[in-house]
Structures are given as structure tokens and as C-alpha cells.
Amino acid sequence: MSWSTLPPRGRSAAAILDELDALRARDVDWKSGRAFSLAYHAGPDVLALATEANARLLSANALNVAAFPSLRRMQSDVVGAIAGLLNGGPEAAGFMTSGGTESILLAVKAARKRGRERGITEPEMVLPTSAHAAFEKAAEYFGVRSVRVPVRDDWRADPAAMAKAIEPRTVLLVASAPQYPQGVIDPVAEIAALAAERDLCCHVDACMGGITLPMLERLGYPIPPFDFRVPGVTSISVDLHKYGYTAKGASVLVYRNRELRKHQTFFTDNWLGGLYGSSGVLGTKSGGPIAAAWAVLAYLGEEGYLRLTREAREATERLVAGLRATPAIRILAEPEATLVAFTVEDADTFAVGNALAARGWVVDQQKPPPSLHCTVNAVHGPVIDEFLSALRDALAEVRARGATGEQRAYGVTE
Ligand SMILES: *Cc1c(COP(=O)(O)O)cnc(C)c1O
């Protein structure tokens, strides 16, 4: 039974932690690679370091980095490291945020503010249908109309169609590297060129790819340019709590320069409490995720991320080969990074997803079109064969029962 009021008396820490462990016993077993979504794992050493660094700064408050200069330094190191990976150069500037959603919210808010300075009062943004749901959240929160443009047959954004959707009140164009649903990289250079010609903001959502793609490039994979080397790109988001393998609550939003970044920050003295400034959506902000990110980046270094990226990519390739060898499974797009989407041609795709869930495997269920989605990370190397065999079992069961399934959502509220 859930609580309906405060427990009248406290209990021992040991008893509480026992109950906490009992509660989490039914959570998806992500450390064993059962989650092809939501959680990432680079091994017990990385997790232990992230946990310890997180604990040491958990109650420190990044709202005021003058009081916590440790957090100022660590944030600056982390932003510098990511800006460097993105070829940002000495002008690049950014902040850490609590996650991809906050990074995207702030990129949209900054574009809106820049547009307002140019007299645009009813702003719009032009983005492909594949861009993340967080842009719709930003549209609703900030009153920026979302103008969605259908992707091409290859699931990539269609720059020509986006160009036609641009209006005088457009403030922002969006590209993703890679986009979440089918795992392909949008033609960033063409979209950024449209933005540059019209002096618009161009945000590249590299929440998934911001670490993986630079590492794949170093490993010799052909990666189309998506970062600040592309003229016209004004900001890029990179989630550390995904392929940075750090603790939850960490993303980076980098701008090409400070002039662009200034539209993100907020200052007021219009209350009785004096001057108040903050970089992001949050006020009080735990130092834990900042410290964990700093520690994990320091621990892994480029060498570590190269290894983890190679492991994740090889697992992705083995998954794709196994799916290709499975009758009636169709992969939607050749994955350019580590995300794989596939559909089932002779049975209900979501029912297959539910049958996998009943076997302890979490994959995303998405539409349109109905498909299953795997975010493959370094933890999955040893379990790809097991997953493929669970998938074959799930397929057989759904075909035998003629089952149909309700879609399970990737984000849920209760
Ligand atoms: C995960 C993700 C987001 C949202 O990030 P959260 O950390 O879940 O808030 C946005 N865009 C892409 C491409 C993502 O993969």
C-alpha cells in the first residue's frame, strides 16, 4: 500500500534500505543488459565511481557556483571536453543541464529570445517529424509553434521541404545526429546552410550521438559532419547520462559562442530577494550529476570512450545481422550509430514487444510506423544472442496466439 500520510515514526536505515531493495527487485535489470532503452552501463567500476562522486556532491547546490567553486570547475571541465569533441573551438560556450529535455527546452527558449530581439512575437520552429518529443514539450512550454516537416523515405530530414516551411517568424531549424526513432543522421550541413542564409538558429540534437559519433569517426566509420565544423550550426545538445555512461541528470548544451549562449541565461531583481541568475530551467540543482559526469569523463578518457563505442557498435552490428537473419523482421534503416528500429511483418509488432517485456527485455515501442527500437550500448555485447533467441520465442508465441498488443509508451507519468 502506498503512503497516504507521513509514517508516524521513523524506522532504521537498514530496514528502509531492505525495503528499497525489495521495491527495486521488479525494476528492469539494466546492469545485465535487459534494457534496450532508458539505462546505460559501462561496468561496475564506472558505476561505482559515478555513485561515489555523485554522493559526495549530492547536496551541494549548483545554483551558486561562487559558493561551490568545485562545481564551477567541474562544469567548466565537462563543457570544455564536450565542446572539444564537437570541434567548438575557443569561442564555444555552454552549460550542463539535467538532461536532454532540459537542453532542448533551453535551445528553443534561446532561439525564441533571439527572435524576440528581432521583433518576432509569434515564433515558429521548423523541424522534421523525427525530432524528439522534447521539442513538442518546448513548443507547449514556451509558445513556439512546432512546424513538423515529413522525413524522406530514408527517414532523414528533408531540407528542401524544410526550406519551404520557413516563414518570416521562424526562429529555429532542428536536425538530429542521430534522430531517435530510426537511428539515422539528418543532413545537418544542408539544414544548417538554410539557417545560415537566413540568420536563424540551428540546433543539432546530438543527445544520442554527441559522444558516439566523434568516437565512431576516430574508429574510421564514415560519419557525415554534424558538429561545429558545419557552418550555420548554432547549438548542440549531448546527453552524458546516455553514452557518457554517467549518472542520470547530466547533459550539455553547447553554443557556437557566448553571444548565442546569452539568450539561454536568466536574470532578475524583480522581487524582494535581490539579484538572481540561473543558467537553466532549475533553480536549486544538485551537484551530484555534475561531479559524477566529471569523474566518469576523467576515468574513461578518450581511450575508454573509444573502447565502449567500439563495443556498442559491434553489438549493434551483431544485432542487425541477427535481425536480418530472422524471417519477417524488417529493419527500418541501416543504423548509423547504435540505434536500431525494426518491424514485424507477419505479426503484431507491439504484441511482440509485450512478449519480450514478459521475458524481462525492455525495448521501445514506437509509431508511426509500429516498430520496436533498441538503443544498444556497451552492456549489450554479451547478451545479443540471448536477446535474439528471446525475440524468436516471442515471435513464435505471438504468431501462435494471433495476439495483438497495445502500445507501451517510452515515457509515462504514473
Ligand atoms: C534521450 C533524447 C532526448 C531527451 O533526453 P532526456 O535525457 O530523456 O531528457 C532528446 N533527443 C534525443 C535524440 C534523445 O535521444
Side-chain angles (χ1 to χ4, degrees):
M1 272 270 282
S2 295
W3 293 339
S4 54
T5 186
L6 265 182
R9 271 175 303 279
R11 287 182 293 152
S12 76
I16 292 162
L17 291 175
D18 283 348
E19 186 180 343
L20 185 147
D21 282 338
L23 288 172
R24 73 192 182 115
R26 288 176 54 220
D27 292 353
V28 59
D29 186 4
W30 54 274
K31 285 182 229 167
S32 308
R34 266 27 184 196
F36 280 95
S37 175
L38 304 169
Y40 300 73
H41 191 38
D45 52 340
V46 177
L47 182 60
L49 175 63
T51 304
E52 180 56 31
N54 191 53
R56 290 191 190 187
L57 274 298
L58 187 61
S59 295
N61 194 341
L63 173 60
N64 189 328
V65 293
F68 295 96
S70 63
L71 294 176
R72 172 188 284 142
R73 170 63 196 271
M74 288 189 266
Q75 169 166 240
S76 151
D77 282 351
V78 169
V79 171
I82 299 303
L85 275 188
L86 301 172
N87 294 291
E91 304 290 304
F95 290 109
M96 289 187 71
T97 70
S98 60
T101 298
E102 189 185 356
S103 292
I104 287 168
L105 289 174
L106 291 168
V108 173
K109 187 215 95 100
R112 181 183 75 164
K113 192 159 186 202
R114 185 161 177 264
R116 244 184 219 168
E117 286 180 5
R118 291 149 188 236
I120 298 173
T121 52
E122 292 178 24
E124 295 185 358
M125 58 183 165
V126 174
L127 65 172
T129 42
S130 55
H132 196 272
F135 288 98
E136 294 307 303
K137 185 183 261 189
E140 181 177 314
Y141 280 18
F142 299 136
V144 176
R145 198 163 86 92
S146 162
V147 180
R148 291 270 182 174
V149 176
V151 293
R152 305 184 310 213
D153 289 346
D154 65 359
W155 307 105
R156 291 175 181 81
D158 183 342
M162 287 176 72
K164 290 203 190 103
I166 297 172
E167 298 281 346
R169 53 183 176 268
T170 303
V171 295
L172 172 67
L173 306 186
V174 174
S176 307
Q179 46 93 301
Y180 188 89
Q182 289 83 27
V184 295
I185 302 171
D186 285 334
V188 173
E190 291 169 64
I191 293 166
L194 296 174
E197 276 164 30
R198 296 161 178 82
D199 196 20
L200 304 175
C201 292
C202 175
H203 180 75
V204 176
D205 179 3
C207 282
M208 275 297 178
I211 293 175
T212 301
L213 297 180
M215 295 304 143
L216 286 176
E217 191 179 355
R218 286 162 175 70
L219 292 169
Y221 285 83
I223 301 296
F226 74 96
D227 63 16
F228 289 114
R229 287 173 290 186
V230 178
V233 170
T234 56
S235 59
I236 306 180
S237 49
V238 179
D239 288 352
L240 303 175
H241 61 203
K242 291 177 181 162
Y243 288 99
Y245 295 100
T246 179
K248 286 287 182 274
S251 173
V252 175
L253 175 56
V254 188
Y255 295 84
R256 184 176 287 280
N257 55 46
R258 281 179 176 271
E259 175 63 20
L260 288 162
R261 192 187 73 167
K262 77 169 195 221
H263 303 293
Q264 171 180 326
T265 44
F266 173 81
F267 296 96
T268 187
D269 60 4
N270 187 22
W271 71 315
L272 301 183
L275 183 62
Y276 177 101
S278 77
S279 63
V281 173
L282 306 182
T284 284
K285 176 167 160 172
S286 172
I290 296 174
W294 181 83
V296 170
L297 291 181
Y299 181 72
L300 289 170
E302 181 167 321
E303 193 183 22
Y305 284 110
L306 283 171
R307 173 178 59 80
L308 292 165
T309 303
R310 189 185 301 113
E311 288 172 10
R313 177 65 198 189
E314 284 172 5
T316 307
E317 289 170 4
R318 284 200 289 117
L319 175 61
V320 167
L323 292 171
R324 286 235 160 84
T326 308
I329 295 277
R330 185 169 54 84
I331 291 164
L332 295 186
E334 187 63 42
E336 284 187 283
T338 47
L339 314 185
V340 184
F342 59 96
T343 184
V344 183
E345 298 202 301
D346 67 346
D348 186 284
T349 298
F350 296 150
V352 173
N354 294 343
L356 279 169
R359 289 164 170 76
W361 296 91
V362 168
V363 300
D364 282 345
Q365 302 187 9
Q366 53 182 24
K367 67 172 186 184
S371 49
L372 302 178
H373 181 279
C374 293
T375 300
V376 183
N377 72 78
V379 77
H380 291 122
V383 303
I384 293 295
D385 291 338
E386 231 181 303
F387 173 73
L388 288 166
S389 116
L391 175 62
R392 284 189 289 270
D393 285 355
L395 283 165
E397 178 197 309
V398 170
R399 285 184 189 123
R401 287 198 289 120
T404 56
E406 287 294 308
Q407 184 192 16
R408 295 193 186 199
Y410 145 54
V412 294
T413 51
E414 284 191 271

